[in-house]
Amino acid sequence: MMTESIDLETLRVFRFVRDYIRENKIAPSQREIAKATFMATTTMVIHLTRLEMRGWLHREYNIPRSLHLGDLAPSDEKFDVFWQTALEVDEEKTSL
């Protein structure tokens, strides 16, 4: 598992996908993810790839709505730690 920090935008994508799957019992489309996270689809795909590399998400290519949580996806408590750390880093960047 990758141990370096994870940026806020990537965490937003993960949080949306995780919550969407929990609520709807099906994965969101890439268009839905991009719209909900206010990203261009190509940018959002970069974040999906980062999440796949971490093992947090898995997808089957060329199969719609094939996203699912990966074996290394963090628990809600662990995600909250990642989220808080990313917020602090983002806050430091904007205050410079």
Side-chain angles (χ1 to χ4, degrees):
M1 180 169 81
M2 301 176 96
T3 56
E4 69 270 4
S5 65
I6 184 167
D7 63 272
L8 196 55
E9 292 79 18
T10 303
L11 289 171
R12 281 189 181 115
V13 170
F14 177 78
R15 185 176 66 180
F16 175 76
V17 171
R18 179 196 65 190
D19 294 349
Y20 189 99
I21 291 171
R22 286 179 180 171
E23 292 172 18
N24 299 291
K25 308 296 186 233
I26 189 171
S29 68
Q30 289 188 358
R31 187 173 296 162
E32 289 169 328
I33 299 167
K35 183 176 180 182
T37 56
F38 304 99
M39 294 181 190
T41 302
T42 52
T43 303
M44 180 274 309
V45 169
I46 291 168
H47 293 289
L48 286 180
T49 301
R50 289 178 182 168
L51 291 164
E52 278 188 290
M53 290 173 60
R54 287 180 167 270
W56 290 19
L57 293 179
H58 180 73
R59 62 185 159 158
E60 301 295 326
Y61 292 90
N62 299 319
I63 299 176
R65 298 183 182 268
S66 66
L67 271 174
H68 59 273
L69 299 182
D71 294 334
L72 300 177
S75 66
D76 290 352
E77 295 80 18
K78 186 69 174 171
F79 178 82
D80 290 343
V81 171
F82 283 114
W83 183 259
Q84 189 59 44
T85 302
L87 284 174
E88 290 168 6
V89 169
D90 194 58
E91 214 172 81
E92 288 174 12
K93 285 180 185 176
T94 57
S95 67
L96 294 177

